Amino acid sequence: MPLQLPTAIARYLDADRTADPALLAACFTPDAVVRDEGHNIHGIAAIQAWRLAARAQYQYTAEPLGSTQVGDSTRLLARVTGNFPGSPVDLLYVFGLRDDRIAALEIRPPVELEGRRALVTGGTQGVGAAVVAQLTQAGATVLTTARHRPATPPDVRFVTADVSTAEGCATVAAAVLEQLGGVDIVVHVVGGSSAPAGGFAMLGDEEWHQALNLNLLPAVRLDRALLPGMLAQRAGVIIHITSIQSQLPLPEATTAYAAAKAALSTYSKSLSKEVSPQGVRVVRVAPGWVETDAAVRLVENIARQNGSSVDTARRSLMDSLGGIPIGRPCKPKEVADLVGFLVSSRAASITGTEYVIDGGTVPTA
């Protein structure tokens, strides 16, 4: 989907591609100021000279990746390829407009995720809410989704949808294009299990369908809808939140959930082999027991039912997992910190692998 940009910025990109000094001059106000590489360039004549000198020196091309509106400024993230060390690099163009012309332009490296557009599914509680906060603090523009709008909605863009259905995924994909104009980061957090205890005999077709519809198919459907745009810009990161249950299923209660997460992991690996050569990274994050608000409530209920202390109930739950060597569950923010690293440029060479964050629960050889 082509970027929808203000006319002055679209003209600037055309002028930059064609090296047309007259077209470049028409983009700026007479008193415009450009800041690039630590230098301020004042006025149209100086801006024309700066742009022509930069093109002659670096022989560069700039490919827009995405744009966001922040206050009165338009921020355009572009991949710049040319005759300079480290090429290609992502640079942020911060435009200030006046009277349909550019009055100010700053070109600089983005800070963390500045200029990136992100979708986080299941982002109103637990790990999802922590991921939303992490990406927002790092400068990304975030859209999140859940089945119900919370009483205190997150301070980000939000769409109400049930992503366990094809219709819900279509609603979210449409919202991404309408509100963000595309996407650079997708984090599939949504998942869970409501299957009854009792082992395989308690799992009818309905329970199996529910497990797949919540833990596998939302990622498949949303990837299918959003990946074409990411491939077109030859840039993007997809994070699938899997689970250590795919390696350590609990047969009494989590067989269907574990199998669905294992399917998600296998799908993710195959997808990474297909799309990584085209610039889109796919990475899995496999948490163990995460101490979300829901997990705390579960421990409190177990304590009440057994007439034990919360600490005893917590310890018994850890023991049922085979123990957690660090002596505690991980925190939602710890998972979010890992996701924040993996979607950043610091992890640019990481794709196709799975990162386990479980306090050592899964034994290794």
Side-chain angles (χ1 to χ4, degrees):
M1 179 179 178
L3 290 179
Q4 301 299 313
L5 296 170
T7 303
I9 297 175
R11 284 201 305 259
Y12 171 83
L13 294 175
D14 288 340
D16 205 32
R17 278 190 289 267
T18 60
D20 184 335
L23 185 57
L24 186 70
C27 301
F28 289 90
T29 62
D31 60 345
V33 178
V34 171
R35 183 168 179 80
D36 181 38
E37 297 184 307
H39 301 289
N40 290 331
I41 300 100
H42 298 265
I44 290 177
I47 290 171
Q48 287 176 311
W50 154 76
R51 194 71 287 177
L52 293 174
R55 178 162 292 284
Q57 180 179 358
Y58 300 122
Q59 301 168 15
Y60 70 90
T61 58
E63 184 65 30
L65 299 178
S67 69
T68 56
Q69 192 72 28
V70 180
D72 295 331
S73 68
T74 300
R75 300 188 178 190
L76 175 73
L77 188 69
R79 179 149 297 160
V80 180
T81 305
N83 182 27
F84 54 84
S87 174
V89 297
D90 291 348
L91 294 178
L92 194 70
Y93 292 63
V94 184
F95 294 92
L97 304 181
R98 186 174 73 241
D99 299 329
D100 202 28
R101 291 192 176 190
I102 300 168
L105 168 60
E106 180 183 11
I107 303 174
R108 58 175 172 79
V111 178
E112 280 290 325
L113 303 180
E114 194 177 19
R116 263 71 171 188
R117 301 156 298 172
L119 168 68
V120 179
T121 65
T124 59
Q125 56 186 339
V127 170
V131 170
V132 167
Q134 171 71 25
L135 301 189
T136 302
Q137 290 165 9
T141 300
V142 179
L143 170 69
T144 193
T145 180
R147 287 178 297 175
H148 306 288
R149 180 177 288 272
T152 306
D155 190 22
V156 295
R157 303 174 192 223
F158 180 84
V159 57
T160 302
D162 180 0
V163 295
S164 69
T165 68
E167 296 78 10
C169 289
T171 296
V172 172
V176 167
L177 296 179
E178 179 182 347
Q179 298 190 38
L180 302 181
V183 71
D184 308 294
I185 298 166
V186 178
V187 185
H188 294 289
V189 180
V190 72
S193 175
S194 58
F200 80 93
M202 299 300 295
L203 299 176
D205 283 358
E206 183 177 352
E207 284 73 30
W208 278 103
H209 287 152
Q210 286 178 349
L212 293 170
N213 283 335
L214 186 58
N215 296 288
L216 172 64
L217 291 177
V220 171
R221 289 166 175 153
L222 284 168
D223 290 348
R224 190 167 58 217
L226 299 175
L227 256 170
M230 302 173 86
L231 294 173
Q233 67 192 23
R234 297 192 63 82
V237 188
I238 294 174
I239 304 290
H240 292 148
I241 303 297
T242 57
S243 171
I244 64 168
Q245 291 281 316
S246 63
Q247 299 179 63
L248 292 177
L250 302 175
E252 173 65 16
T254 69
T255 295
Y257 169 80
K261 287 296 190 181
L264 177 61
S265 183
T266 301
Y267 158 71
S268 302
K269 181 61 178 178
S270 182
L271 185 66
S272 74
K273 294 172 72 175
E274 180 180 359
V275 302
S276 293
Q278 301 174 71
V280 179
R281 298 189 292 114
V282 182
V283 186
R284 292 158 283 158
V285 171
W289 182 24
V290 183
E291 198 165 45
T292 61
D293 290 344
V296 170
R297 291 194 295 271
L298 172 63
V299 170
E300 291 172 345
N301 287 337
I302 292 173
R304 279 194 296 270
Q305 291 169 7
N306 296 340
S308 66
S309 69
V310 168
D311 187 62
T312 299
R314 191 167 179 258
R315 178 61 58 184
S316 69
L317 243 176
M318 288 194 289
D319 290 343
S320 73
L321 299 171
I324 301 178
I326 66 170
R328 63 168 180 83
C330 66
K331 306 294 185 183
K333 187 179 186 306
E334 293 170 331
V335 181
D337 286 342
L338 175 58
V339 170
F341 165 72
L342 291 171
V343 302
S344 75
S345 59
R346 292 170 291 163
S349 295
I350 296 175
T351 190
T353 192
E354 184 169 70
Y355 282 79
V356 174
I357 176 167
D358 67 349
T361 302
V362 176
T364 57

